[in-house]
Amino acid sequence: MTFRELLEKYKNQTATPEERKQVETELEKYNALTEYLLEQDVDMEGEDLAGQQEELQKIDRSMKKRGRRIIAIAVVIACVVMGALTAFQPAISKVIWYDPTEQDFQQYSYDISCHLAVLAELTMPEVQMESVMITEKGWGQYDLQVQQREWSSGEYLWEDGTVTRGKIQLKSNVYQYSVINAFSRGTAEFGNSVMTESAEAKAALADLPEYLKMEAYVSLGKDWTMEELENFAAQQDGYLGWVGVRTSPEDRQLLPLMGFDADSSGYIWDHVDEAYPFYELSMHEDVPLAEAWEKHFLALLQYSIDHGDFYARLNQSNDHGSTCQMVQEYVTENGVKTYGFLYYGTPAEMRKLLENEDVEGIYVTDYQLRVPGL
């Protein structure tokens, strides 16, 4: 009888006592073998887990080592990039943002000096723009020092400014426009007149000592052509300064007032004159003065129009280019004419100009002592 048949009788409870004992002996052997085999499987699984853990540790160490290499390479690349940016920062920033150190016009002067000189001559009767000193601070930032000279005293003034990524910020003192109603007919009537009429002015001047040198806005009762202004200046003993130009109909308010300096003093921009003929009056002394004045004013307007992008960067007068375009159209149609001018002279010289029937009066803005020998 097979063990399977014995086991079946054991399960059916038909086995004899001897057969039951034989089956139970065999089952005990089976249980012992099963326990042994289970113990062997656990040991093998433990060995497999230990191997897997060791392999994972190797992978982890490899990943950490690779990560350190990547970090080291990234640090080196960052240092190289930062070094390159620092070394080439001036060149990079000048490509991205406006560069006030441009010297396209003259070798030894910044273009910004010429831009501001044109703005000052056209709109600031009492000062002359001399130069601009620039300190580069990095990444599109610059410190400016703007030098101006007062026509009356001859004193030099320094004002600060900045350029920050293309935006130009100048102190308000740089923009020395004239008083709106300095002339009786410069623009539409605005507030009370500051002019002293001729008769009253002559009486006041008669009591003043001759060692005074005065600065005065002279108002005309009618507009003069440049030829009329030239003839008048030739008969006077004083000094003709800034000349106001009619830039719009008399009843229209167009500010700031515009004009030009009748004198040719100051820095000579000969290369600018090549591009804008009559920009420099001193380079055209063979031309009749009236014609030179007219062409000089037109040259200043054209220069401003062509460099409107620069003036748009200013914190004031940022519409200067477009304003000059309107003025150019007006004077092209109506001619370059004046309603008044700035004049420098002694009391006697002032009284002499007041004798002209077209002079309505004067507005004195400054005076200086000119004592001979002192």
Side-chain angles (χ1 to χ4, degrees):
M1 183 179 295
T2 64
F3 179 75
R4 187 178 294 278
E5 291 173 338
L6 283 173
L7 182 61
E8 192 64 33
K9 289 178 70 177
Y10 180 83
K11 290 166 61 178
N12 296 332
Q13 296 182 354
T14 58
T16 65
E18 291 179 0
E19 291 173 337
R20 288 177 64 84
K21 185 176 180 181
Q22 186 180 353
V23 170
E24 289 174 353
T25 300
E26 292 297 326
L27 288 174
E28 186 176 351
K29 290 179 183 179
Y30 176 77
N31 289 335
L33 286 170
T34 301
E35 289 178 2
Y36 174 75
L37 290 173
L38 286 172
E39 289 176 359
Q40 290 299 108
D41 288 343
V42 170
D43 291 342
M44 290 178 65
E45 288 178 2
E47 290 177 2
D48 290 343
L49 287 173
Q52 291 176 6
Q53 288 177 352
E54 184 178 354
E55 188 65 27
L56 288 172
Q57 288 174 353
K58 288 181 180 179
I59 294 172
D60 184 57
R61 287 195 295 270
S62 176
M63 292 294 292
K64 287 181 178 178
K65 187 176 181 180
R66 182 178 298 177
R68 286 194 293 270
R69 284 201 301 268
I70 291 173
I71 292 172
I73 292 171
V75 170
V76 171
I77 292 174
C79 290
V80 170
V81 171
M82 290 301 296
L85 288 175
T86 301
F88 296 103
Q89 172 271 127
I92 295 171
S93 65
K94 289 175 183 178
V95 171
I96 300 174
W97 298 294
Y98 164 68
D99 175 19
T101 65
E102 292 174 345
Q103 294 178 302
D104 294 337
F105 294 139
Q106 303 278 89
Q107 184 177 359
Y108 302 108
S109 184
Y110 300 123
D111 293 353
I112 188 174
S113 297
C114 187
H115 299 333
L116 292 179
V118 170
L119 177 65
E121 179 170 354
L122 280 171
T123 64
M124 306 175 200
E126 299 175 30
V127 297
Q128 180 182 46
M129 196 72 69
E130 290 288 323
S131 64
V132 179
M133 295 181 64
I134 303 173
T135 303
E136 190 168 353
K137 308 297 286 187
W139 295 115
Q141 298 187 39
Y142 305 81
D143 285 342
L144 306 179
Q145 282 191 304
V146 180
Q147 185 187 49
Q148 296 174 307
R149 184 171 69 91
E150 290 185 340
W151 284 113
S152 177
S153 66
E155 294 181 0
Y156 288 93
L157 309 172
W158 288 95
E159 298 293 345
D160 296 332
T162 59
V163 177
T164 304
R165 296 179 179 87
K167 297 295 183 181
I168 303 173
Q169 187 80 21
L170 301 178
K171 286 190 175 181
S172 58
N173 290 343
V174 174
Y175 303 99
Q176 298 195 42
Y177 309 121
S178 71
V179 177
I180 295 176
N181 54 349
F183 297 104
S184 61
R185 299 172 49 255
T187 185
E189 189 173 341
F190 183 87
N192 297 324
S193 174
V194 296
M195 181 193 72
T196 303
E197 294 185 358
S198 293
E200 183 180 351
K202 284 190 286 186
L205 290 168
D207 297 329
L208 296 179
E210 284 303 300
Y211 52 76
L212 291 181
K213 194 79 168 183
M214 293 182 291
E215 174 186 73
Y217 286 82
V218 178
S219 294
L220 301 175
K222 68 172 187 177
D223 288 355
W224 281 356
T225 63
M226 293 298 99
E227 288 78 9
E228 290 174 306
L229 179 63
E230 180 183 4
N231 293 334
F232 169 82
Q235 300 169 11
Q236 301 301 312
D237 301 321
Y239 174 80
L240 184 64
W242 189 82
V243 177
V245 173
R246 175 73 61 201
T247 58
S248 67
E250 191 173 337
D251 60 352
R252 182 182 172 191
Q253 191 78 267
L254 183 61
L255 299 173
L257 302 180
M258 282 196 185
F260 63 89
D261 294 330
D263 185 45
S264 58
S265 64
Y267 188 84
I268 304 298
W269 296 85
D270 51 338
H271 292 295
V272 180
D273 192 83
E274 293 174 6
Y276 300 92
F278 289 88
Y279 175 90
E280 287 291 350
L281 283 171
S282 62
M283 298 179 65
H284 302 278
E285 294 180 349
D286 57 329
V287 177
L289 192 54
E291 179 185 347
W293 280 340
E294 184 170 334
K295 291 182 176 179
H296 174 63
F297 181 67
L298 293 173
L300 295 177
L301 292 179
Q302 189 60 56
Y303 181 100
S304 300
I305 294 168
D306 292 346
H307 296 88
D309 57 339
F310 167 81
Y311 298 110
R313 301 179 187 278
L314 296 173
N315 56 320
Q316 292 189 39
S317 290
N318 46 33
D319 60 346
H320 178 67
S322 57
T323 301
C324 286
Q325 180 71 61
M326 292 189 294
V327 171
Q328 184 187 65
E329 294 171 1
Y330 180 84
V331 297
T332 299
E333 181 179 350
N334 298 279
V336 178
K337 298 178 181 179
T338 181
Y339 48 75
F341 47 84
L342 210 55
Y343 195 78
Y344 300 88
T346 64
E349 291 166 344
M350 291 289 177
R351 291 197 302 272
K352 182 177 180 179
L353 76 85
L354 287 168
E355 295 296 335
N356 188 290
E357 61 181 11
D358 289 338
V359 174
E360 284 192 331
I362 61 174
Y363 167 51
V364 177
T365 52
D366 194 20
Y367 65 89
Q368 302 291 323
L369 297 177
R370 295 288 190 269
V371 181
L374 295 179

